[in-house]
Amino acid sequence: MQLNILILPGDGIGAEVTREAVKVLHKVASKFHHEPVLSEGLLGGIAIHKTGTPLPQETIDLALKADATLMGAVGLPEFDNVAPDKRPERGLLGIRKVLGVYANLRPVRSYKALLDSSPLKNALVDGTDMIIVRELTGGIYYGTPRGIEGSGANERAVNTMAYTRPEIERVTRVAFHLAQNRRKKVTSVDKSNVIETSQLWRKVVIEVAAEFPDVTLDHLLVDTAAMQLVLNPRRFDVLVTENMFGDILSDEGAVLAGSIGMLPSASIGDKKPSGAWVGLYEPVHGSAPDIAGQSKANPFGAIGSVAAMLEYSFGLKDEAAAVNRAVETVLNSGRVTADLKPSGKPATTSEVGDAVAEAI
Ligand code: IPM
Ligand code: MG
């Protein structure tokens, strides 16, 4: 099978972890006789430096043409004090919107080999296995009006959190479909005791749930959910929530997995006529400028994102499983980067990539 993939390395450690993910992709493709056809594009800070905009039209065209997009991370410190619409992150929000990838799947699981990497007690973390489904193309990230106006005592900033019924319905259906193939439980997270978008969210989720009588549904307010995630993580199977709540809770979930470097993500939109998903695949972590260029970055999140891509965008379940098994083998071998607190000398980013490729 031909695998037409756009690679967007982005900024900081994005390029470093993406290189290892591509290495693993080549290995699994050759083992299973597929042909990767890769193109590369600019996104984020590097795109601003080279073209003046975080999401050049050329990148949009490449992404629309590719079967799937693999992304590193975006964000550079020199843009820290720049207005939101001129920042590297705006490129990421733009490409999510252009591709229409409204459901962001962030699996959070604990690996036996990493129980000691989490600051939480082993007995609490052990057995964690959930997917956070984050709505990705709506809510406060995109709502208008937005902006800062006035000056002095009259300076005022506004953002808008808005959701339509169809936006809630489609991401909820993704969550329920996932739950049907797992432990058949969906937890919807909102703030319906205070905000209207959450009241609509809860109402629509309850309606959609009626289409899935085999799946149980419960609801948590987001503050309680934040607490339950670290008190009783095994209670979660599929957690579905709006864009910003999902952003925040998934970083909290990283503590359960041992390091934010472990978390992959798959952002999917509607199915194509072929049955494959339009998809954007990226690790959950950011560009980490503080460790960029030091070969310290953990590439497992990026490598796991390749596995997700093989599964969702190409329907290649065995290939995805081979990557995930190789990740597990390397974790058990202890050849991991410093963030996972190995007992021996930490491995470099490319040593981990080599080890995973070898284990396939
Ligand atoms: C994430 C990141 C992004 C987000 C940033 C970099 C814009 O935190 O993917 O979780 O908030 O969506
Ligand atoms: Mg985030």
mmCIF file with all atom_site columns, all heavy atoms in Angstrom, residues 89 92 96 106 134 141 247, ligand 1:
data_model
loop_
_atom_site.group_PDB
_atom_site.id
_atom_site.type_symbol
_atom_site.label_atom_id
_atom_site.label_alt_id
_atom_site.label_comp_id
_atom_site.label_asym_id
_atom_site.label_entity_id
_atom_site.label_seq_id
_atom_site.pdbx_PDB_ins_code
_atom_site.Cartn_x
_atom_site.Cartn_y
_atom_site.Cartn_z
_atom_site.occupancy
_atom_site.B_iso_or_equiv
_atom_site.pdbx_formal_charge
_atom_site.auth_seq_id
_atom_site.auth_comp_id
_atom_site.auth_asym_id
_atom_site.auth_atom_id
_atom_site.pdbx_PDB_model_num
ATOM   1  N N   . GLU A 1 89  ? 1.477   28.895 17.383 1.00 0.00 ? 89  GLU A N   1
ATOM   2  C CA  . GLU A 1 89  ? 0.332   28.052 17.760 1.00 0.00 ? 89  GLU A CA  1
ATOM   3  C C   . GLU A 1 89  ? -0.859  28.278 16.837 1.00 0.00 ? 89  GLU A C   1
ATOM   4  O O   . GLU A 1 89  ? -1.680  27.389 16.640 1.00 0.00 ? 89  GLU A O   1
ATOM   5  C CB  . GLU A 1 89  ? -0.091  28.350 19.208 1.00 0.00 ? 89  GLU A CB  1
ATOM   6  C CG  . GLU A 1 89  ? 0.873   27.837 20.274 1.00 0.00 ? 89  GLU A CG  1
ATOM   7  C CD  . GLU A 1 89  ? 2.076   28.753 20.507 1.00 0.00 ? 89  GLU A CD  1
ATOM   8  O OE1 . GLU A 1 89  ? 2.246   29.759 19.767 1.00 0.00 ? 89  GLU A OE1 1
ATOM   9  O OE2 . GLU A 1 89  ? 2.865   28.451 21.420 1.00 0.00 ? 89  GLU A OE2 1
ATOM   10 N N   . LEU A 1 92  ? -1.043  25.805 14.130 1.00 0.00 ? 92  LEU A N   1
ATOM   11 C CA  . LEU A 1 92  ? -1.577  24.500 14.551 1.00 0.00 ? 92  LEU A CA  1
ATOM   12 C C   . LEU A 1 92  ? -3.109  24.535 14.581 1.00 0.00 ? 92  LEU A C   1
ATOM   13 O O   . LEU A 1 92  ? -3.783  23.644 14.058 1.00 0.00 ? 92  LEU A O   1
ATOM   14 C CB  . LEU A 1 92  ? -1.009  24.154 15.932 1.00 0.00 ? 92  LEU A CB  1
ATOM   15 C CG  . LEU A 1 92  ? -1.520  22.890 16.612 1.00 0.00 ? 92  LEU A CG  1
ATOM   16 C CD1 . LEU A 1 92  ? -1.337  21.680 15.723 1.00 0.00 ? 92  LEU A CD1 1
ATOM   17 C CD2 . LEU A 1 92  ? -0.802  22.685 17.947 1.00 0.00 ? 92  LEU A CD2 1
ATOM   18 N N   . ARG A 1 96  ? -5.633  22.286 12.080 1.00 0.00 ? 96  ARG A N   1
ATOM   19 C CA  . ARG A 1 96  ? -6.701  21.442 12.642 1.00 0.00 ? 96  ARG A CA  1
ATOM   20 C C   . ARG A 1 96  ? -8.038  21.811 11.992 1.00 0.00 ? 96  ARG A C   1
ATOM   21 O O   . ARG A 1 96  ? -8.837  20.948 11.637 1.00 0.00 ? 96  ARG A O   1
ATOM   22 C CB  . ARG A 1 96  ? -6.790  21.650 14.156 1.00 0.00 ? 96  ARG A CB  1
ATOM   23 C CG  . ARG A 1 96  ? -5.637  21.022 14.935 1.00 0.00 ? 96  ARG A CG  1
ATOM   24 C CD  . ARG A 1 96  ? -5.679  21.441 16.407 1.00 0.00 ? 96  ARG A CD  1
ATOM   25 N NE  . ARG A 1 96  ? -4.638  20.778 17.191 1.00 0.00 ? 96  ARG A NE  1
ATOM   26 C CZ  . ARG A 1 96  ? -4.308  21.116 18.439 1.00 0.00 ? 96  ARG A CZ  1
ATOM   27 N NH1 . ARG A 1 96  ? -4.940  22.118 19.049 1.00 0.00 ? 96  ARG A NH1 1
ATOM   28 N NH2 . ARG A 1 96  ? -3.362  20.461 19.087 1.00 0.00 ? 96  ARG A NH2 1
ATOM   29 N N   . ARG A 1 106 ? -6.676  11.099 22.729 1.00 0.00 ? 106 ARG A N   1
ATOM   30 C CA  . ARG A 1 106 ? -5.444  11.094 23.515 1.00 0.00 ? 106 ARG A CA  1
ATOM   31 C C   . ARG A 1 106 ? -5.467  9.918  24.491 1.00 0.00 ? 106 ARG A C   1
ATOM   32 O O   . ARG A 1 106 ? -5.972  10.039 25.608 1.00 0.00 ? 106 ARG A O   1
ATOM   33 C CB  . ARG A 1 106 ? -5.290  12.426 24.258 1.00 0.00 ? 106 ARG A CB  1
ATOM   34 C CG  . ARG A 1 106 ? -5.259  13.610 23.299 1.00 0.00 ? 106 ARG A CG  1
ATOM   35 C CD  . ARG A 1 106 ? -4.910  14.940 23.942 1.00 0.00 ? 106 ARG A CD  1
ATOM   36 N NE  . ARG A 1 106 ? -4.362  15.824 22.913 1.00 0.00 ? 106 ARG A NE  1
ATOM   37 C CZ  . ARG A 1 106 ? -3.864  17.027 23.134 1.00 0.00 ? 106 ARG A CZ  1
ATOM   38 N NH1 . ARG A 1 106 ? -3.839  17.513 24.349 1.00 0.00 ? 106 ARG A NH1 1
ATOM   39 N NH2 . ARG A 1 106 ? -3.367  17.737 22.143 1.00 0.00 ? 106 ARG A NH2 1
ATOM   40 N N   . ARG A 1 134 ? -10.995 14.767 22.995 1.00 0.00 ? 134 ARG A N   1
ATOM   41 C CA  . ARG A 1 134 ? -11.082 16.224 23.144 1.00 0.00 ? 134 ARG A CA  1
ATOM   42 C C   . ARG A 1 134 ? -11.683 16.818 21.873 1.00 0.00 ? 134 ARG A C   1
ATOM   43 O O   . ARG A 1 134 ? -11.160 16.587 20.778 1.00 0.00 ? 134 ARG A O   1
ATOM   44 C CB  . ARG A 1 134 ? -9.658  16.752 23.374 1.00 0.00 ? 134 ARG A CB  1
ATOM   45 C CG  . ARG A 1 134 ? -9.517  18.238 23.253 1.00 0.00 ? 134 ARG A CG  1
ATOM   46 C CD  . ARG A 1 134 ? -8.040  18.650 23.291 1.00 0.00 ? 134 ARG A CD  1
ATOM   47 N NE  . ARG A 1 134 ? -7.916  20.088 23.109 1.00 0.00 ? 134 ARG A NE  1
ATOM   48 C CZ  . ARG A 1 134 ? -6.784  20.725 22.825 1.00 0.00 ? 134 ARG A CZ  1
ATOM   49 N NH1 . ARG A 1 134 ? -5.665  20.030 22.697 1.00 0.00 ? 134 ARG A NH1 1
ATOM   50 N NH2 . ARG A 1 134 ? -6.758  22.023 22.659 1.00 0.00 ? 134 ARG A NH2 1
ATOM   51 N N   . TYR A 1 141 ? -11.275 28.208 21.717 1.00 0.00 ? 141 TYR A N   1
ATOM   52 C CA  . TYR A 1 141 ? -10.101 28.386 20.868 1.00 0.00 ? 141 TYR A CA  1
ATOM   53 C C   . TYR A 1 141 ? -10.445 29.133 19.577 1.00 0.00 ? 141 TYR A C   1
ATOM   54 O O   . TYR A 1 141 ? -9.581  29.749 18.961 1.00 0.00 ? 141 TYR A O   1
ATOM   55 C CB  . TYR A 1 141 ? -9.503  27.027 20.490 1.00 0.00 ? 141 TYR A CB  1
ATOM   56 C CG  . TYR A 1 141 ? -8.534  26.443 21.497 1.00 0.00 ? 141 TYR A CG  1
ATOM   57 C CD1 . TYR A 1 141 ? -8.884  26.323 22.833 1.00 0.00 ? 141 TYR A CD1 1
ATOM   58 C CD2 . TYR A 1 141 ? -7.286  25.992 21.099 1.00 0.00 ? 141 TYR A CD2 1
ATOM   59 C CE1 . TYR A 1 141 ? -8.008  25.771 23.753 1.00 0.00 ? 141 TYR A CE1 1
ATOM   60 C CE2 . TYR A 1 141 ? -6.398  25.432 22.006 1.00 0.00 ? 141 TYR A CE2 1
ATOM   61 C CZ  . TYR A 1 141 ? -6.768  25.324 23.336 1.00 0.00 ? 141 TYR A CZ  1
ATOM   62 O OH  . TYR A 1 141 ? -5.886  24.778 24.220 1.00 0.00 ? 141 TYR A OH  1
ATOM   63 N N   . ASP A 1 247 ? -7.779  19.981 26.668 1.00 0.00 ? 247 ASP A N   1
ATOM   64 C CA  . ASP A 1 247 ? -6.374  20.399 26.643 1.00 0.00 ? 247 ASP A CA  1
ATOM   65 C C   . ASP A 1 247 ? -5.791  20.279 28.042 1.00 0.00 ? 247 ASP A C   1
ATOM   66 O O   . ASP A 1 247 ? -4.713  19.711 28.248 1.00 0.00 ? 247 ASP A O   1
ATOM   67 C CB  . ASP A 1 247 ? -6.274  21.848 26.145 1.00 0.00 ? 247 ASP A CB  1
ATOM   68 C CG  . ASP A 1 247 ? -4.854  22.373 26.185 1.00 0.00 ? 247 ASP A CG  1
ATOM   69 O OD1 . ASP A 1 247 ? -3.956  21.660 25.706 1.00 0.00 ? 247 ASP A OD1 1
ATOM   70 O OD2 . ASP A 1 247 ? -4.637  23.480 26.718 1.00 0.00 ? 247 ASP A OD2 1
HETATM 71 C C1  . IPM B 2 .   ? -2.014  20.754 22.699 1.00 0.00 ? 1   IPM B C1  1
HETATM 72 C C2  . IPM B 2 .   ? -1.277  22.057 22.829 1.00 0.00 ? 1   IPM B C2  1
HETATM 73 C C3  . IPM B 2 .   ? -1.883  23.073 21.876 1.00 0.00 ? 1   IPM B C3  1
HETATM 74 C C4  . IPM B 2 .   ? -3.332  23.256 22.255 1.00 0.00 ? 1   IPM B C4  1
HETATM 75 C C5  . IPM B 2 .   ? -1.141  24.433 21.856 1.00 0.00 ? 1   IPM B C5  1
HETATM 76 C C6  . IPM B 2 .   ? 0.306   24.265 21.468 1.00 0.00 ? 1   IPM B C6  1
HETATM 77 C C7  . IPM B 2 .   ? -1.826  25.426 20.969 1.00 0.00 ? 1   IPM B C7  1
HETATM 78 O O1  . IPM B 2 .   ? -1.282  22.494 24.152 1.00 0.00 ? 1   IPM B O1  1
HETATM 79 O O2  . IPM B 2 .   ? -2.116  20.236 21.577 1.00 0.00 ? 1   IPM B O2  1
HETATM 80 O O3  . IPM B 2 .   ? -2.481  20.242 23.720 1.00 0.00 ? 1   IPM B O3  1
HETATM 81 O O4  . IPM B 2 .   ? -3.654  24.011 23.196 1.00 0.00 ? 1   IPM B O4  1
HETATM 82 O O5  . IPM B 2 .   ? -4.182  22.642 21.616 1.00 0.00 ? 1   IPM B O5  1
#
